[in-house]
Amino acid sequence: MKIDHQGDLPPYEQVRVHYAHAISNRELPVGAKLPTVRALAKDLGLAVNTVARAYRELEEAGLVETRGRAGTVVSANGDSNRERVRAAAAQYAAMSAELGLSSAEALDIVRAALNR
């Protein structure tokens, strides 16, 4: 992982997005251990608080869990969260079709919501 210090996303968000994608793509399976906050901060040249914020947001999203001295690991909740999002997407697709929106219009609405 490389941090783009000139990019639009703040460093903590780049770390969060990297791990969120790796977890959702199952590159990191349930139970996989993430590097310690200090080790990752050192490797990326970031402040410890920056990495800690990314890990905290991943934990709030249910993607990881912190087990004290055992470290931070990928949570099994990530799979259930994915299922909840899929169900919501199916419901949204049905509602969009019922209301007569085209697929392009429905996707534009989702993109706008994700970019907020």
Side-chain angles (χ1 to χ4, degrees), residues 33-46:
K33 194 170 182 180
L34 273 59
T36 66
V37 169
R38 289 185 192 278
L40 187 59
K42 182 178 179 186
D43 288 348
L44 298 176
L46 297 173

Side-chain angles (χ1 to χ4, degrees), residues 36-91:
T36 66
V37 169
R38 289 185 192 278
L40 187 59
K42 182 178 179 186
D43 288 348
L44 298 176
L46 297 173
V48 171
N49 286 341
T50 300
V51 175
R53 180 174 178 184
Y55 277 26
R56 191 169 45 253
E57 291 194 11
L58 288 166
E59 189 163 19
E60 288 171 3
L63 297 174
V64 300
E65 55 188 56
T66 301
R67 297 179 177 165
R69 290 184 175 255
T72 302
V73 297
V74 175
S75 169
N77 289 338
D79 285 335
S80 66
N81 287 347
R82 186 177 293 108
E83 283 306 313
R84 289 177 57 207
V85 170
R86 281 188 190 130
Q91 187 177 17

